[in-house]
Amino acid sequence: MEREDLSVVAALVGVSKTLGGNAVLAGLDLNVKAGEVTALLGPNGAGKTTSVSLLTGRLRPDAGSAMLFGLDPIRPAARARMGVMLQAAGLPDVLTIREVVTLQSGYYADSRPIAETLAIAGLADLADRRCGALSGGQARRVQYALAICGRPDLLVLDEPTAAMDREARMALWATVREAADSGAAVLLTSHDLAEADALADRVLVMAKGRVIADNTPTAIRAQVGGSTLRCRTTLSDANLMALPAVRRVERAGAECVVQSGNAVATVRALLGADSALADLRISDASLEDAMSVLLQADRRIAA
């Protein structure tokens, strides 16, 4: 008999869900584990938002099961152990940050001290400012404070650093890592793949309602390997694809992005073929590169 993985705090098992007449999920399996930051990634329409809504009890599965701390996600005992930071969530304009955090903290039996929550979210100096006077980045920090004030065992973060400046983003990353290192499970959805790469212990890549990759960021990048070349070139995409070791070519405005399995061979040939080559930069394959390759492969298989 297979033993239950006690580190799993939230899971979808064989879940199907139809919304608006469209099959969004069909037999989806995924889980979130304690002590890990799990990044749920994929293109728009992949089913990420629906999956998060099922895990947090905001939607019910049509088939299969959703579990949160071994319970149905709608059970108060399960929901009390979860903190959620949604992408779109309003704040009461007339209340101060301190008042909003105090109000939210009152819903939990073992909430953090208010001063501690404000400090973790980087809001100590703004505590008496009314929410209606906040910038977009400051409002996101308040929403983060509301998510962590109850000492959650599962922290769900939907695009957490949207509208934040670099300093605030780095500070939030540090506190998210501290939460996971202290044993909490963190589920992160983000369109910022650099953020997912920096934070995640594990990456789940979704496409068309199913998981097509589940591994560490390093392992997923290794599936692509090689290097990424960025440059300005007069060569056509077809001519670039004909160069040695080139796997993929994309255009990003005036810049060309070339995925190569052997950067030295590709660059030598590129220099010889285009005397007008400019702004050449070379880097290791990124999580974004790996995602692109995985999604392209999935589309080919589906076709």
Side-chain angles (χ1 to χ4, degrees), residues 228-233 240 255-258 263-264 266-271 274 276-283:
T228 299
L229 284 61
R230 289 177 169 81
C231 63
R232 293 173 183 262
T233 177
L240 289 167
E255 186 175 67
C256 187
V257 182
V258 178
V264 173
T266 301
V267 169
R268 282 176 176 164
L270 183 57
L271 290 170
D274 185 2
L277 184 73
D279 298 334
L280 176 64
R281 306 185 307 284
I282 305 172
S283 61

Side-chain angles (χ1 to χ4, degrees), residues 28 36 118 125 149 185 187 191 210 212 216 222 263 286:
L28 176 67
E36 286 186 347
L118 294 171
D125 294 338
C149 68
L187 177 60
H191 283 96
R210 53 199 177 81
I212 63 171
T216 65
S286 66

